[in-house]
Amino acid sequence: QGTPITFCRLIALAALLPWGAFAETVPLPLHWWSRGARGGGAFFSPSLSPLDQGTLYISTDMGTVFHSANGGALWDSYAFGNLQGGRLARMQFTSDPAVLYVLDGRVDYVTYLGGAIFKSVNGGSSWFRLTGDPCSTNDATRKKLRADPTRTDRLVLGHDRGLWFSADGGTNWTAFYSPGSGCYLADALFAGPNIFAAGNFGLYISTNSGSSFAPGDLTGIGAGEKIVAFTGAARNGQIRLYCITTDAATANSIDEGYPSPPELIYGSSSVYKGRYACDWGVGVWSKCTNGISSLDPVAFVGAVASRPDIVYAGGQSLDTAWPAIYSSTNGGTNWTKIFNATQIRNVQTGWEGH
């Protein structure tokens, strides 16, 4: 009857002894390596450098900004005190790889009141806040920053209160559209001395490198439609513009938070009105949807900067909820669907797959 007591004492003694006294020592790993762009949340604002095809940035709505210097094979992330991400943090490249701009996505109501403009002069190693930001004390959900990729000093800033231009790298700003509220900048295009800014306010154009801006003509766009996505390209004197429109009520209600323009279009496709193109200075806006399925309302548009004839559009298919991506090589006259969504047969993916 004493055996159980002795056995319990042995078990208790074993618990106090080093594991190595009973089994062969198992070596522990000496090093760990991070693999992939971790961080949680959804990813937004992927940015690819026009100067180096291996330089990529992407941010998450959880606050992290990730950077890769080798095409995405390995990633590093910024410490939260240096730079924070979010939907706003789309990296703005310039003609100098050392000079970068971005909207910091933090909303700290003690020191930052949302979406402050940050600048780097050492290739992104460190960042500092631009104190001349004309919208540093306002809500950031409609704030958007665009930099001239062929210069280091020209910036266009959109905010709920209006539009601003800077010719000195963000030190000083000049307002060129000031409605007071309700402004949404879809995007901007820099084409030499010509600068275009488009959104729910229409189109503003400068032909003198930003010294002055004036409203542009939108002849051809349907009555009651407003721009929510915009891009363009320039080559040999030709400037071709592209845009996507929704009904006015939708365009006036959108911002960069929730819901964004794509989310509004995907959630209710009836708000999507058209896809237009225009050769600036020589023609009117015309619909360019030949080849795009009526089940694929597009919400994104992007042109190749130096090729006015090459343009891409992206949306979400209503029948499958899969992504729908199209390309055109003749200025939007004809479109070809280039994303095979059935088991993503022409895309290499990781674990997420479908």
Side-chain angles (χ1 to χ4, degrees):
Q1 293 181 351
T3 302
I5 297 176
T6 302
F7 178 75
C8 290
R9 287 174 178 171
L10 288 173
I11 293 296
L13 178 62
L16 297 175
L17 292 175
W19 177 249
F22 295 92
E24 181 181 355
T25 301
V26 178
L28 297 176
L30 299 178
H31 301 284
W32 291 88
W33 292 269
S34 174
R35 290 292 183 265
R38 68 277 178 218
F43 289 97
F44 293 90
S45 301
S47 311
L48 290 75
S49 170
L51 303 177
D52 177 8
Q53 64 180 359
T55 298
L56 313 175
Y57 289 87
I58 196 166
S59 63
T60 81
D61 58 5
M62 300 296 285
T64 308
V65 177
F66 296 99
H67 163 257
S68 175
N70 52 14
L74 293 174
W75 295 84
D76 53 62
S77 59
Y78 287 102
F80 72 92
N82 195 2
L83 186 66
Q84 292 187 28
R87 292 188 174 215
L88 302 174
R90 174 173 159 181
M91 196 63 59
Q92 297 299 299
F93 300 96
T94 71
S95 58
D96 184 347
V99 180
L100 302 168
Y101 299 89
V102 73
L103 284 181
D104 183 281
R106 76 191 74 192
V107 181
D108 178 340
Y109 292 100
V110 176
T111 56
Y112 301 96
L113 297 185
I117 303 174
F118 274 53
K119 182 177 182 178
S120 175
V121 294
N122 55 16
S125 295
S126 61
W127 296 86
F128 60 92
R129 183 184 179 188
L130 294 181
T131 57
D133 181 357
C135 302
S136 61
T137 58
N138 290 272
D139 179 71
T141 57
R142 284 199 181 200
K143 196 168 186 178
K144 188 174 289 182
L145 178 71
R146 292 295 182 261
D148 185 345
T150 66
R151 301 269 294 263
T152 61
D153 53 353
R154 301 202 302 187
L155 303 167
V156 168
L157 176 66
H159 185 268
D160 179 67
R161 294 190 293 114
L163 304 171
W164 287 261
F165 175 75
S166 175
D168 58 8
T171 300
N172 297 286
W173 298 85
T174 301
F176 61 90
Y177 176 66
S178 304
S181 65
C183 174
Y184 177 77
L185 174 66
D187 220 317
L189 170 67
F190 298 87
N194 304 299
I195 304 172
F196 302 82
N200 66 349
F201 48 84
L203 178 67
Y204 270 76
I205 304 171
S206 173
T207 59
N208 52 19
S209 298
S211 294
S212 62
F213 285 80
D217 189 6
L218 293 179
T219 302
I221 291 182
E225 298 179 27
K226 293 192 175 184
I227 296 173
V228 294
F230 173 77
T231 190
R235 184 181 188 183
N236 296 331
Q238 179 194 11
I239 301 176
R240 189 159 178 82
L241 309 176
Y242 302 90
C243 73
I244 293 171
T245 62
T246 67
D247 63 81
T250 300
N252 292 337
S253 67
I254 60 178
D255 56 37
E256 293 303 309
Y258 297 91
S260 65
E263 288 162 332
L264 284 170
I265 291 174
Y266 300 161
S268 178
S269 60
S270 62
V271 308
Y272 168 75
K273 295 304 178 184
R275 172 85 171 74
Y276 294 86
C278 174
D279 284 323
W280 178 72
V282 296
V284 300
W285 292 88
S286 59
K287 278 196 173 182
C288 53
T289 58
N290 186 36
I292 297 181
S293 169
S294 61
L295 294 175
D296 297 339
V298 292
F300 299 97
V301 59
V304 178
S306 60
R307 292 288 303 273
D309 54 328
I310 300 179
V311 61
Y312 295 83
Q316 180 176 335
S317 295
L318 299 179
D319 54 344
T320 63
W322 292 341
I325 303 176
Y326 290 84
S327 71
S328 172
T329 58
N330 56 9
T333 301
N334 303 101
W335 295 87
T336 302
K337 200 168 188 177
I338 59 174
F339 182 73
N340 190 337
T342 304
Q343 297 181 352
I344 45 179
R345 276 180 279 191
N346 62 339
V347 179
Q348 181 178 350
T349 70
W351 62 271
E352 280 196 327
H354 174 82

